[in-house]
Amino acid sequence: MRRLKVIASALKYPSYGERLFDVPIERLWAVASDLEKELPHIVPGLRSFTITGTEKDRLTGRAVSSIGHREHFDVVLRPGWCLMQSKALVGGMAAVPEGGGTRFAFFSSLRFPGGQAVDRLRVVRAERRTGVLFDRLRLRMDARSLPGGTE
């Protein structure tokens, strides 16, 4: 979690948020780390994410936005940790046990010339945006717990 905060703070104006979930880390991370099946349901504006290559804990993938923009990502995916970078975006998530639940953090930031100026504007709505993402994560965890879910 500290490592994610350091990376996010180095980016000046990231969208960053944390939430404590009342579920075990294994249950939360099973959903959050399922990049192909769950990430498009969790991240607003993401239509699909396809893993295009794997080598140990390093992946490559292609994200397609809801308006059809395609972006290639390099990904480091480990238990409780994910960092994703493309030419235009950087994002990450981390999960750690806390009490009887799990603290989950997520951030995103733009990586192109002028991106900091846009991020500065995005900061105003960052709390709302991460709140929506956390609510969607909760819904996906609940859906997997239902009969016929994948858990």
Side-chain angles (χ1 to χ4, degrees), residues 48-66:
S48 66
F49 189 87
T50 305
I51 294 173
T52 58
T54 60
E55 187 176 321
K56 295 183 183 180
D57 62 354
R58 300 195 181 265
L59 313 170
T60 55
R62 184 183 65 252
V64 180
S65 76
S66 56

Side-chain angles (χ1 to χ4, degrees), residues 12 26 31 37 49 62 82 85 88 95:
K12 293 197 180 185
E26 298 81 13
V31 175
K37 293 179 185 166
F49 189 87
R62 184 183 65 252
C82 181
Q85 298 183 75

Side-chain angles (χ1 to χ4, degrees), residues 1-22:
M1 192 70 63
R2 275 184 267 143
R3 188 174 16 165
L4 194 72
K5 283 182 185 180
V6 168
I7 292 169
S9 66
L11 298 169
K12 293 197 180 185
Y13 302 104
S15 294
Y16 179 89
E18 293 183 16
R19 184 179 286 180
L20 181 62
F21 289 88
D22 62 348

Side-chain angles (χ1 to χ4, degrees), residues 24-35 38 137 141 144 150-151:
I25 190 170
E26 298 81 13
R27 182 172 165 207
L28 185 145
W29 197 248
V31 175
S33 66
D34 189 344
L35 303 180
E38 297 294 350
L137 175 58
M141 286 187 289
R144 282 195 175 198
T150 58
E151 186 171 273

Side-chain angles (χ1 to χ4, degrees), residues 76-127:
V76 176
L77 181 61
R78 297 179 182 140
W81 172 258
C82 181
L83 184 65
M84 304 174 73
Q85 298 183 75
S86 74
K87 289 180 180 179
L89 299 164
V90 61
M93 54 187 170
V96 294
E98 184 176 309
T102 302
R103 179 156 302 275
F104 179 77
F106 178 88
F107 88 92
S108 68
S109 186
L110 301 172
R111 294 184 66 190
F112 53 82
Q116 284 187 351
V118 177
D119 271 348
R120 198 172 312 129
L121 297 173
R122 291 175 67 219
V123 148
V124 175
R125 296 185 59 202
E127 188 175 328

